[in-house]
Amino acid sequence: MTPGRSPVLSTGTAPPSQVLRRGAVPFAVAAVAAAGAAVLVVRSPYTPLSYGLCPSVLLLGVSCPGCGGLRATHDLLTGDLAGAWLANPLWTLTAPLLVAVWGVWTARRLRGGPPLTTPSWVPWTVLVVVVAFTVLRNVPALVPYLGPAPLP
């Protein structure tokens, strides 16, 4: 063995306690997400007032970018892709991307790799997309396509 090199790094395997320590935060995020998902599967957001009212709709009369997000998540979890798209198209596209990013983050943490870094253009792109989606989903002609589907 080369002086100064750890046997853990030279063999490519880490002891289980170190792997668990590295994965603690990603696994905690997964546990919280799974608990939230379980609640959404068990208690449908399609029941009127089951999760309250959106303050944006209540106070301003406009749909925020998150309106329909609970219904979209419920539909994604139960396999209804069309229903998810009708509830919130932006979230229907974003949720799988977030799961993929979580997977990459977790894999890197478990391997002891460098942390994920976000390119500087990503937050600005997200801001532009969210603002554009918010404006467009409140244009009366586009509400049937981008606005949250009305409750049955």
Side-chain angles (χ1 to χ4, degrees), residues 25-41 73 77 91 98-99 102:
V25 174
F27 293 147
V29 169
V32 169
V39 169
L40 276 174
V41 169
T73 304
L77 292 169
W91 180 247
L98 290 175
V99 171
W102 175 86

Side-chain angles (χ1 to χ4, degrees), residues 53-75:
L53 292 173
C54 175
S56 175
V57 173
L58 184 65
L59 300 174
L60 303 173
V62 297
S63 295
C64 72
C67 283
L70 287 176
R71 288 180 275 152
T73 304
H74 171 80
D75 290 339

Side-chain angles (χ1 to χ4, degrees), residues 2-3 9-10 25 35 58 64 66-68 72 77 86 90 108-109 120 138-139 148:
T2 310
L9 294 176
S10 65
V25 174
L58 184 65
C64 72
C67 283
L77 292 169
L86 288 173
L90 182 62
R108 289 179 91 155
R109 292 279 302 208
S120 60
N138 287 292
V139 172

